[in-house]
Amino acid sequence: MLKRAQLESVQTFMDHPAQAGLPLHARIQRAVRQLIIDRSMTAGRPLPSSRTLARSLGVSRDTVETAYAQLHAEGFIERRVGSGSFVCELTELGLKRGVLRPSARRTSTGGASQARLSRRGAAMAQAGSAREPFTSLAFSSGAPETRLFPFAQWERLHRQVLREEGAKALAHGDPQGDPRLRQAIADYLNLERGARATADRVLVLTSTQQALTLCAQVLMDPGDGVFIEDPAYSGASRAFEAAGLKRLPIRVDHQGLRTDDILAAPTSARAAFVTPSHQFPTGRTLSLERRLALIQWAGQADAWIIEDDYDSEFHYTGRPTACVQGLDPHDRTLYLGTFTKSLFPGLRLAYLVLPQTLVEPMVAARSLMDGHTASIAQLTLARFIEDGRFGTYVRTMRGVYAERLEALDAAIKASLGHVATLDRPAGGLQAPCFLINGHAEAETLVQARRAGVHLIGLSSLHADGRGRPGWLMGFAASTPQEIQAAVGRLAGLFPA
């Protein structure tokens, strides 16, 4: 029979929040099992009858019977006809040697000691710890507006895919991506971005981060150098750090990446990461002269250019400059794009346009990473692009976002002009805002978060953490009224 203390232990275990999602019989089974593992119940000891335990715990007899049946199946108890249930002799499982008992290395708070990781695993864990959460707070960077998305159109296309493709849409897909979507992406990029893309060179992925990880691990070895903009997109910095690469920061000015600094040490790196359309986070556009210099360097140094064109659809002053990939006669550029910002984050679709020599190794590496991308979403998106709906939606949102950038600029000038000044970009979904009059960046970030406003510090995006203090402010996901209200909350923190 269970002693009173043991019954209390069972009840306490059952009531623990961690067990709340489990059915009653599973909670009872786990509680009794833990008593056995802890050696609170020794081998040969009889368990109370199912009727008795059910009465003590206030549950049905069937519930306890189910728990006992599972314990018997797992080998923790034996059931003797006419005699009842007994704790098994578990020497062969190592219980007497403590194999199943909680490790003595656990901390006093019950948590496990730090796991031993590989060098790459440790680098990945360290890099990932700096990940900014994707939030719906005001001014979250890179967040698009989703409330205006044409759900009805998307739903019709989704149903059309299921009707036309049937069971084929539920099967494993091509690791390179659905051919129809790859063709749609290639056609769109050639028309809108001046790319030189063909369907056989497009690799469909789930995210920008996956693309960067592939590039880092397939193109370079640990210890190799990679030129990266300074300041830079933190996701790229983390991907390169996790791959064990040596980041070589290259300063950015009003014309974008300073290619003279690359040409001064051309063999120092195997690749260069750039955001030429809207440099992240400054919003600067890489000049044509520097684009050509970068291309010349890659061709002569047998190096790679990783071009992240993350939000070039949203350009508010004239047409965006042709992408580097379309200008590169040496075929050394990997062009990276995503639908996370142009459509919605939950779509989880991105792509790489690859040099021909990299298609086969990249597809093979991707197939090892996660096999393939979900077919139904790809087929739906392909139709969305082919029917012209994607282009129409992008044009509509370009106007919406331009209006919201205007609203942000006006609100800051009216309410926060004594604190910060907006450095208005030519495009994109976020804008840098520099602090003035001696305001400290770290302190303002803490205050803003308390007011329900999510700002990224500009200093943290610099290699040495010493950039000009300020904020990166996402404006795309908020209406002009919401922007004005959020800026008002910020202004309340900094009285004039």
Side-chain angles (χ1 to χ4, degrees):
M1 300 297 291
L2 294 182
K3 298 178 181 179
R4 181 175 178 179
Q6 293 170 333
L7 279 172
E8 291 176 352
S9 295
V10 171
Q11 192 66 61
T12 300
F13 186 94
M14 291 172 58
D15 294 339
H16 194 280
Q19 312 300 321
L22 296 174
L24 272 175
H25 69 83
R27 289 190 247 173
I28 295 171
Q29 177 257 334
R30 292 187 179 199
V32 175
R33 183 179 65 186
Q34 195 61 48
L35 287 175
I36 298 172
I37 290 173
D38 291 343
R39 296 189 59 77
S40 296
M41 297 180 65
T42 56
R45 185 183 183 90
L47 276 72
S49 68
S50 58
R51 189 187 305 276
T52 301
L53 185 57
R55 186 167 54 249
S56 299
L57 297 176
V59 300
S60 72
R61 184 183 178 187
D62 287 345
T63 298
V64 176
E65 279 290 339
T66 303
Y68 278 5
Q70 182 62 32
L71 287 165
H72 175 66
E74 292 178 353
F76 283 94
I77 67 173
E78 58 177 324
R79 312 196 75 179
R80 304 170 189 168
V81 178
S83 299
S85 301
F86 299 83
V87 178
C88 282
E89 187 70 50
L90 298 178
T91 305
E92 65 275 15
L93 294 181
L95 189 60
K96 289 188 175 179
R97 296 188 300 275
V99 173
L100 294 181
R101 300 182 69 181
S103 171
R105 296 170 60 195
R106 290 184 179 271
T107 65
S108 59
T109 58
S113 60
Q114 187 173 5
R116 181 179 179 182
L117 305 176
S118 67
R119 285 191 294 272
R120 174 163 284 176
M124 293 174 71
Q126 183 177 3
S129 65
R131 182 176 184 268
E132 304 100 4
F134 187 86
T135 73
S136 58
L137 296 176
F139 304 133
S140 294
S141 176
E145 175 63 85
T146 56
R147 292 168 291 186
L148 300 179
F149 186 76
F151 293 102
Q153 292 179 9
W154 187 266
E155 184 182 11
R156 283 196 297 271
L157 294 173
H158 180 84
R159 290 199 305 268
Q160 184 184 78
V161 166
L162 294 178
R163 184 173 60 252
E164 294 179 2
E165 299 294 328
K168 289 192 300 182
L170 309 181
H172 288 284
D174 185 338
Q176 189 172 347
D178 182 80
R180 187 168 176 176
L181 177 58
R182 289 192 278 117
Q183 186 63 60
I185 291 172
D187 291 343
Y188 175 79
L189 294 177
N190 292 338
L191 177 65
E192 296 292 336
R193 299 296 297 116
R196 293 186 298 112
T198 55
D200 64 306
R201 295 171 61 180
V202 174
L203 172 60
V204 179
L205 301 166
T206 57
S207 66
T208 295
Q209 207 62 33
Q210 185 184 45
L212 290 170
T213 299
L214 268 177
C215 292
Q217 296 188 0
V218 174
L219 302 181
M220 291 165 277
D221 293 312
D224 283 345
V226 55
F227 291 127
I228 187 169
E229 299 163 327
D230 187 22
Y233 169 53
S234 58
S237 298
R238 293 194 300 269
F240 298 147
E241 286 175 0
L245 304 182
K246 181 181 179 182
R247 291 185 300 138
L248 303 174
I250 302 296
R251 291 174 297 167
V252 171
D253 62 20
H254 65 286
Q255 294 187 60
L257 184 77
R258 292 173 57 94
T259 50
D260 285 350
D261 294 346
I262 291 178
L263 298 178
T267 60
S268 300
R270 294 275 303 278
F273 172 78
V274 291
T275 53
S277 294
H278 302 137
Q279 199 280 328
F280 189 95
T282 66
R284 302 302 184 193
T285 299
L286 187 64
S287 67
L288 178 59
E289 180 181 358
R290 291 187 179 181
R291 290 174 188 239
L292 297 177
L294 188 64
I295 291 169
Q296 182 181 6
W297 161 77
Q300 293 177 346
D302 197 26
W304 303 104
I305 300 169
I306 303 171
E307 178 182 12
D308 185 359
D309 210 11
Y310 60 100
D311 66 357
S312 64
E313 287 90 356
F314 305 116
H315 200 84
Y316 312 126
T317 306
R319 289 185 60 83
T321 307
C323 64
V324 173
Q325 190 269 352
L327 299 172
D328 180 6
H330 310 297
D331 206 19
R332 305 295 301 178
T333 302
L334 296 85
Y335 179 92
L336 194 168
T338 178
F339 294 100
T340 292
K341 295 175 174 58
S342 54
L343 292 178
F344 55 93
L347 183 57
R348 306 303 296 153
L349 284 175
Y351 55 88
L352 274 169
V353 180
L354 299 165
Q356 192 64 56
T357 56
L358 289 181
V359 172
E360 186 174 341
M362 279 288 196
V363 172
R366 185 275 159 84
S367 67
L368 287 175
M369 182 175 289
D370 71 347
H372 65 97
T373 306
S375 298
I376 296 175
Q378 291 188 71
L379 292 166
T380 304
L381 177 57
R383 285 162 172 75
F384 195 73
I385 298 173
E386 292 168 349
D387 293 352
R389 290 182 171 91
F390 178 71
T392 299
Y393 179 68
V394 165
R395 287 191 293 273
T396 298
M397 298 312 295
R398 188 181 297 141
V400 169
Y401 294 157
E403 179 186 7
R404 294 179 179 187
L405 176 58
E406 184 70 38
L408 177 63
D409 194 10
I412 289 177
K413 287 177 179 176
S415 304
L416 278 175
H418 61 294
V419 177
T421 177
L422 191 76
D423 188 12
R424 187 163 175 168
L429 306 182
Q430 58 275 318
C433 189
F434 295 110
L435 292 168
I436 59 176
N437 296 330
H439 286 280
E441 181 182 293
E443 181 181 345
T444 61
L445 294 177
V446 173
Q447 291 176 299
R449 180 54 70 103
R450 290 173 181 166
V453 177
H454 182 221
L455 302 171
I456 295 176
L458 292 176
S459 294
S460 67
L461 302 177
H462 287 260
D464 59 5
R466 299 179 182 177
R468 184 179 174 185
W471 311 321
L472 187 62
M473 305 182 75
F475 55 83
S478 303
T479 66
Q481 294 75 22
E482 291 167 342
I483 288 172
Q484 187 172 9
V487 169
R489 294 202 301 275
L490 277 176
L493 302 173
F494 310 105

